[in-house]
Amino acid sequence: MREAPPAALLIEAFVNTVDVELGTDDVSTPARLAAWLADQGLLPDGRDGLGPDDHRLCLDLRGGIREELGTHVGDAPDPRLVERAETALEALPLRAVLRPAGSGSALVPAPGAPPARKALGALAVAWSELVVTGEAARLKRCAEHACAWVFWDTSKNRSRRWCSMRVCGNRAKARRYAARHAADS
């Protein structure tokens, strides 16, 4: 069982700030986003300066990543959500470096960027690391549409479909069983 790398844990936490089943959003306002970024160690505590534009970039980025993670065989991601995420990525100041610092990444948030954009840039860097290494394929959105929780797939062949077999997987199997028996009657 392969443990999730730090970039995957960060992206998993980021995209799970929205809970489809409960209808909640942990980053629904700029202030809540600033608090979440501070909790993740991406934004210094007590820093203001995270405005509505930064908040919109965050929501667009999250929406696009969630869309990419929810693509199942035969499904296509919603191009509008992906396009908005791509636009958000273009607005983030990133730079390539020859000698990575502590993160080990050759892509880093630009040093002169405002703290909020650096924090959002760190999310973009984490996502890019997962894509480049192929590890993004292990992050998946639960196939139970009422759930849509994102999880790290620990299965050997990367075939896990549900965040929890006991809950979401069981629900799906029970529905299929009921549908088969209803068709037989």
Side-chain angles (χ1 to χ4, degrees):
M1 180 160 90
R2 175 141 159 47
E3 285 189 34
L9 295 173
L10 178 60
I11 294 300
E12 181 181 16
F14 175 53
V15 296
N16 283 334
T17 55
V18 64
D19 189 322
V20 173
E21 196 167 20
L22 297 177
T24 60
D25 187 347
D26 294 341
V27 296
S28 59
T29 65
R32 292 187 74 187
L33 173 58
W36 185 85
L37 291 169
D39 287 346
Q40 300 301 310
L42 301 176
L43 188 66
D45 286 327
R47 288 297 273 250
D48 291 318
L50 196 140
D53 291 341
D54 301 316
H55 186 245
R56 172 57 33 215
L57 285 176
C58 170
L59 297 180
D60 288 346
L61 182 59
R62 181 185 67 183
I65 293 173
R66 282 186 64 81
E67 191 65 15
E68 285 295 317
L69 296 176
T71 304
H72 300 290
V73 176
D75 291 346
D78 182 336
R80 295 168 304 189
L81 293 175
V82 173
E83 184 180 326
R84 286 199 299 257
E86 292 285 348
T87 301
L89 287 170
E90 289 172 8
L92 298 175
L94 301 176
R95 131 180 182 204
V97 295
L98 293 176
R99 295 187 183 152
S103 73
S105 177
L107 187 63
V108 297
R117 294 294 167 107
K118 275 187 184 178
L120 295 176
L123 293 168
V125 168
W127 174 251
S128 69
E129 286 176 15
L130 294 174
V131 171
V132 167
T133 62
E135 296 289 354
R138 283 200 180 271
L139 269 180
K140 297 181 178 178
R141 195 170 70 198
C142 184
E144 177 64 32
H145 294 290
C147 173
W149 197 251
V150 171
F151 62 93
W152 177 254
D153 184 356
T154 56
S155 67
K156 205 175 222 183
N157 61 0
R158 299 180 184 195
S159 62
R160 191 169 146 196
R161 298 187 62 220
W162 299 288
C163 64
S164 164
M165 186 58 210
R166 285 192 315 222
V167 179
C168 292
N170 192 39
R171 286 178 191 164
K173 289 181 177 194
R175 276 195 303 275
R176 284 196 307 263
Y177 176 82
R180 276 194 316 268
H181 280 36
D184 291 342
S185 1

